[in-house]
Amino acid sequence: MCGIIGYVGKNNSVPYIIDGLKKLEYRGYDSAGISILQEGKIVTVRAVGKVAELEKAALQSRPQGNTGLGHTRWATHGKPSEENSHPHRDCSGELVVVHNGIIENYLTLRDKLTQLGHRFRSETDTEVIAHLIEENLKHTRASNDEDKLIKAVQKTNVQIAGAFAIGVMWARTPGMLVGVKTQSPLVVGLGKKENFLASDIPAFLQHTNKALFLDDGEMVILRTDKVTVLDVNGKEKKVKATKISWDQKTAQKGGYAHFMIKEIYDQPQALEDTLRTARTDFAKLLGTDEKTLRKLRNIHIIACGTAYHAGLVGKYYLEQLAGIPTSVDLASEYKYRVIPPFENTLAIAISQSGETADTIGAIKKAQKLGFKTLAICNVLGSTLTRLCNGTFFTHCGPEISVASTKAFTSQITSLFALAVCLGKANGHISDADFNKYTKELTRLPKDMVQTVKMEYDVRHLTRKIYKAERFIFLGRHVNFPIALEGALKLKEVSYRSAEGFAAGEIKHGPISIIAKGTPVFVLMPADSLFEKMLSACQECGARGAYVVAITTREGEKQAKNVAHKVFVVPSTGELLQPVLNVVPLQFLAYWIAKRLGCDIDQPRNLAKSVTVE
Ligand code: M6R
């Protein structure tokens, strides 16, 4: 939550910072601010609302300077207001701080600092950082102001507890920014005579594709033509730059009205790119060998939200194709349940961002239990990928819309590829099956090209149903998680009440909420469970539901007998079918939200990366 950006270079920093904040807006958007070092003085502009409001305010006061910091906020401590917006300043107004994360000991620090005479202006935890650095500066001796600031920030870094990525700017050190990172993301962009500090790569991707990733506890000092990283002991550390392969076009809307719809259409390419590396050597990836892989007896999948739904699908794959008992936990629950010590266990964390605090906490627990860990992740250099023994990258490019779409289908595809590889390694599937599944995977991007053509029909249907108060989604087996995902997507962007159920469960209670006209979406490809799903349609139809069947060509005729509307999705293998089945539900959520006039890419109360527990 929250996005931070810093610029130091030869140009006016304001347009770089505002533009970077727009790219980071998915991380929080209830207020935003910038501080610019202008002729030896810090000028701050802040505004409640989105970055566009800040931009308007900045256009009026027109700050200018080569060094600056910016922040877009998702409120944790203190309501969204101008006082609570970042950057936060010390008493002198000479030092400002932007922060992403939570300072857990801020109340104790605030009391101490207040007793020492510091005056607080906001309700935030962040403001203590500015005052604490100010206090430390008073007691720090150094031959020059730059060293003094570095030492004071180092001292502050050990006094604060919690999760934080921080950017610091001091009026006495023009052309220099300091950043520290502990458990919140912070990336450095290396440009030509300009350098960037940011919560995420898209913030500077337009200017450079060279990045440095920091480890927890580290500090970075940015100057126009030099970047220095200090390790936890304050020693200079050599860090190799990583070339980012994302092209900046994928980080832009490319003519679409919203990122969400663009990212739905990105899916054929995202699958193609993900599959390019899917035939990987998983043993090597985990720093182990085939023999150890064959010994795997247990898999724990850990994830949140949409990624958790992908994990639920993955369970079917890993159990059926690799024969390995698999559990799936919400990361926030995994951390608190007692887990018996199993030998030969692999924990798989699924996360688009790699920065979800709950998922990171859960994987740390798995590591403490001695499990091998694998991340399925979309962001190179993210905290999760640095923690795990190995990472399988989904190559979707940046996913900006808060509602996850292309990451979800790529995660399921990756899990399928993993299960097929494990099944081959441990002999659970035959060579013939391996070849069959590999063919299905290879064909999947083409099937997806056909699937995204469904937008028009889905859009047309939403005209009829968008005013409904409640929506229901039903599925069985691998399509049950798709019912959950369809409901989550709709809730998230349209604020409508939506629930997903296992079709066999409705008669155990949920059927009572079906009333005349309630739209019920039934995922029913013509597979081994088709007959059962026909019955589900009938049960709902008999209670007055408006039944929409999502099926494959072979099921169309029968589906028409029991549903008011039938959508036909291209067919692939029974297990991979969910990757395609979710697409009409993504369009559905998009179009209902659009017709209701919702803020699709930035729904209320949400943020893309949930970096707090
Ligand atoms: O970055 P992650 O995949 O770890 O994020 C997990 C969830 O917060 C995320 O999937 C969330 O549920 C999405 N907004 C759903 O669209």
Side-chain angles (χ1 to χ4, degrees):
M1 326 291 227
C2 300
I4 68 179
I5 176 156
Y7 173 92
V8 51
K10 56 187 186 319
N11 297 318
N12 178 18
S13 58
V14 178
Y16 290 83
I17 294 175
I18 298 274
D19 190 57
L21 287 178
K22 286 184 186 161
K23 306 274 165 42
L24 293 174
E25 212 168 13
Y26 70 85
R27 303 179 63 86
Y29 34 83
D30 53 41
S31 58
I34 49 168
S35 285
I36 306 299
L37 193 45
Q38 182 172 313
E39 292 164 6
K41 288 217 164 74
I42 289 180
V43 180
T44 297
V45 184
R46 302 186 294 186
V48 176
K50 297 202 170 172
V51 176
E53 299 306 317
L54 173 71
E55 193 174 20
K56 276 188 221 152
L59 273 174
Q60 277 179 7
S61 53
R62 295 195 175 274
Q64 284 229 350
N66 309 119
T67 316
L69 286 174
H71 186 273
T72 177
R73 181 167 186 248
W74 187 85
T76 54
H77 295 71
K79 60 185 177 301
S81 66
E82 205 177 315
E83 296 73 51
N84 289 335
S85 319
H86 301 218
H88 287 286
R89 47 172 287 197
D90 66 350
C91 296
S92 72
E94 289 199 336
L95 183 131
V96 284
V97 163
V98 287
H99 163 224
N100 163 214
I102 287 181
I103 305 299
E104 284 163 5
N105 57 342
Y106 88 102
L107 284 174
T108 322
L109 289 170
R110 192 176 164 126
D111 283 351
K112 275 193 198 152
L113 289 160
T114 308
Q115 278 167 28
L116 288 168
H118 289 264
R119 219 182 107 238
F120 284 82
R121 296 171 180 85
S122 76
E123 303 159 293
T124 66
D125 52 340
T126 304
E127 198 184 344
V128 297
I129 308 170
H131 292 280
L132 195 54
I133 300 175
E134 180 181 34
E135 191 57 31
N136 287 330
L137 278 169
K138 282 188 209 159
H139 306 287
T140 301
R141 287 191 197 295
S143 55
N144 59 55
D145 281 339
E146 292 199 347
D147 282 350
K148 199 170 172 181
L149 178 64
I150 294 167
K151 282 186 183 162
V153 176
Q154 269 171 330
K155 206 166 164 194
T156 307
N157 195 11
V158 288
Q159 290 168 314
I160 52 179
F164 47 87
I166 297 166
V168 184
M169 183 170 75
W170 195 24
R172 297 203 202 164
T173 54
M176 177 172 138
L177 291 174
V178 178
V180 287
K181 175 204 167 350
T182 291
Q183 290 182 37
S184 288
L186 195 62
V187 196
V188 175
L190 302 171
K192 281 195 190 116
K193 292 213 179 296
E194 58 187 13
N195 292 304
F196 303 82
L197 190 65
S199 301
D200 198 358
I201 297 158
F204 55 72
L205 192 59
Q206 205 180 327
H207 312 290
T208 177
N209 65 350
K210 271 183 20 198
L212 287 187
F213 296 103
L214 303 179
D215 281 328
D216 280 348
E218 289 183 348
M219 176 189 270
V220 62
I221 298 123
L222 274 88
R223 297 182 179 89
T224 304
D225 39 26
K226 193 174 173 205
V227 170
T228 314
V229 177
L230 303 182
D231 68 13
V232 267
N233 303 311
K235 288 224 173 78
E236 197 168 327
K237 178 183 165 185
K238 288 246 164 311
V239 184
K240 232 178 122 209
T242 307
K243 200 168 162 222
I244 307 299
S245 58
W246 291 352
D247 74 285
Q248 43 153 318
K249 265 198 235 134
T250 34
Q252 288 165 2
K253 276 190 218 153
Y256 288 93
H258 297 95
F259 278 110
M260 182 178 178
I261 191 78
K262 180 208 169 245
E263 287 162 5
I264 296 174
Y265 277 101
D266 277 349
Q267 289 179 111
Q269 192 61 48
L271 293 184
E272 182 96 52
D273 293 345
T274 297
L275 284 169
R276 208 165 283 144
T277 50
R279 278 166 213 94
T280 185
D281 182 341
F282 278 98
K284 215 162 154 197
L285 203 74
L286 284 166
T288 183
D289 49 30
E290 285 264 330
K291 205 167 136 207
T292 319
L293 265 198
R294 278 199 292 275
K295 279 202 233 147
L296 268 186
R297 290 292 168 270
N298 261 299
I299 294 181
H300 292 180
I301 296 181
I302 304 158
C304 303
T306 287
Y308 169 72
H309 296 156
L312 290 175
V313 181
K315 174 182 161 74
Y316 292 98
Y317 295 167
L318 290 159
E319 295 191 332
Q320 184 165 333
L321 302 178
I324 305 173
T326 301
S327 62
V328 191
D329 278 76
L330 289 163
S332 52
E333 291 295 317
Y334 189 83
K335 282 188 291 182
Y336 303 108
R337 84 172 163 96
V338 175
I339 296 169
F342 289 120
E343 287 208 330
N344 302 318
T345 298
L346 171 68
I348 303 178
I350 310 172
S351 172
Q352 188 284 130
S353 63
E355 300 295 349
T356 301
D358 286 325
T359 310
I360 290 167
I363 211 73
K364 283 186 180 162
K365 173 170 177 174
Q367 281 172 332
K368 274 202 193 125
L369 291 165
F371 304 158
K372 280 251 172 224
T373 51
L374 174 74
I376 295 182
C377 187
N378 195 40
V379 180
L380 192 79
S382 57
T383 305
L384 194 67
T385 63
R386 291 148 76 81
L387 269 176
C388 288
N389 298 115
T391 300
F392 184 88
F393 282 104
T394 50
H395 292 277
C396 305
E399 192 183 63
I400 310 287
S401 166
V402 167
S404 183
T405 51
K406 60 178 176 175
F408 178 66
T409 44
S410 294
Q411 286 159 353
I412 302 181
T413 306
S414 307
L415 285 158
F416 188 84
L418 172 65
V420 171
C421 285
L422 288 177
K424 179 147 192 285
N426 65 17
H428 198 79
I429 52 170
S430 64
D431 283 353
D433 276 344
F434 177 79
N435 291 337
K436 177 181 119 187
Y437 294 132
T438 307
K439 267 195 201 140
E440 283 173 12
L441 271 176
T442 312
R443 219 186 54 216
L444 197 60
K446 283 206 183 92
D447 293 334
M448 186 56 95
V449 171
Q450 294 308 316
T451 313
V452 292
K453 290 185 180 159
M454 297 176 71
E455 184 191 0
Y456 180 81
D457 289 342
V458 178
R459 172 182 170 176
H460 190 72
L461 170 80
T462 56
R463 220 189 294 163
K464 186 177 170 77
I465 57 169
Y466 77 98
K467 285 191 181 147
E469 281 301 320
R470 172 184 291 142
F471 294 79
I472 292 174
F473 298 84
L474 302 179
R476 266 180 194 261
H477 192 247
V478 282
N479 286 299
F480 165 43
I482 303 305
L484 298 178
E485 175 61 8
L488 174 65
K489 215 77 311 161
L490 187 60
K491 275 188 268 217
E492 217 180 354
V493 295
S494 75
Y495 320 141
R496 295 280 117 170
S497 169
E499 286 189 82
F501 299 106
E505 269 295 297
I506 50 164
K507 54 189 173 296
H508 298 288
I511 202 161
S512 65
I513 61 175
I514 292 177
K516 191 166 183 304
T518 307
V520 177
F521 288 81
V522 188
L523 294 147
M524 45 186 298
D527 60 14
S528 52
L529 294 165
F530 185 64
E531 298 292 329
K532 301 256 178 225
M533 298 309 292
L534 286 172
S535 312
C537 289
Q538 271 162 336
E539 284 162 15
C540 297
R543 270 93 190 162
Y546 180 79
V547 179
V548 182
I550 294 165
T551 187
T552 43
R553 179 69 56 214
E554 304 75 20
E556 187 179 7
K557 202 165 157 218
Q558 276 175 285
K560 277 188 172 153
N561 295 331
V562 291
H564 299 91
K565 176 85 198 156
V566 177
F567 288 127
V568 176
V569 180
S571 39
T572 172
E574 187 162 331
L575 290 175
L576 266 181
Q577 194 62 45
V579 177
L580 306 178
N581 287 352
V582 75
V583 176
L585 304 188
Q586 295 171 341
F587 283 130
L588 178 83
Y590 176 81
W591 273 102
I592 289 182
K594 190 158 161 123
R595 291 195 192 283
L596 291 170
C598 299
D599 192 344
I600 295 177
D601 283 335
Q602 292 163 352
R604 69 183 181 205
N605 305 338
L606 294 176
K608 180 76 177 159
S609 312
V610 186
T611 55
V612 291
E613 288 185 17

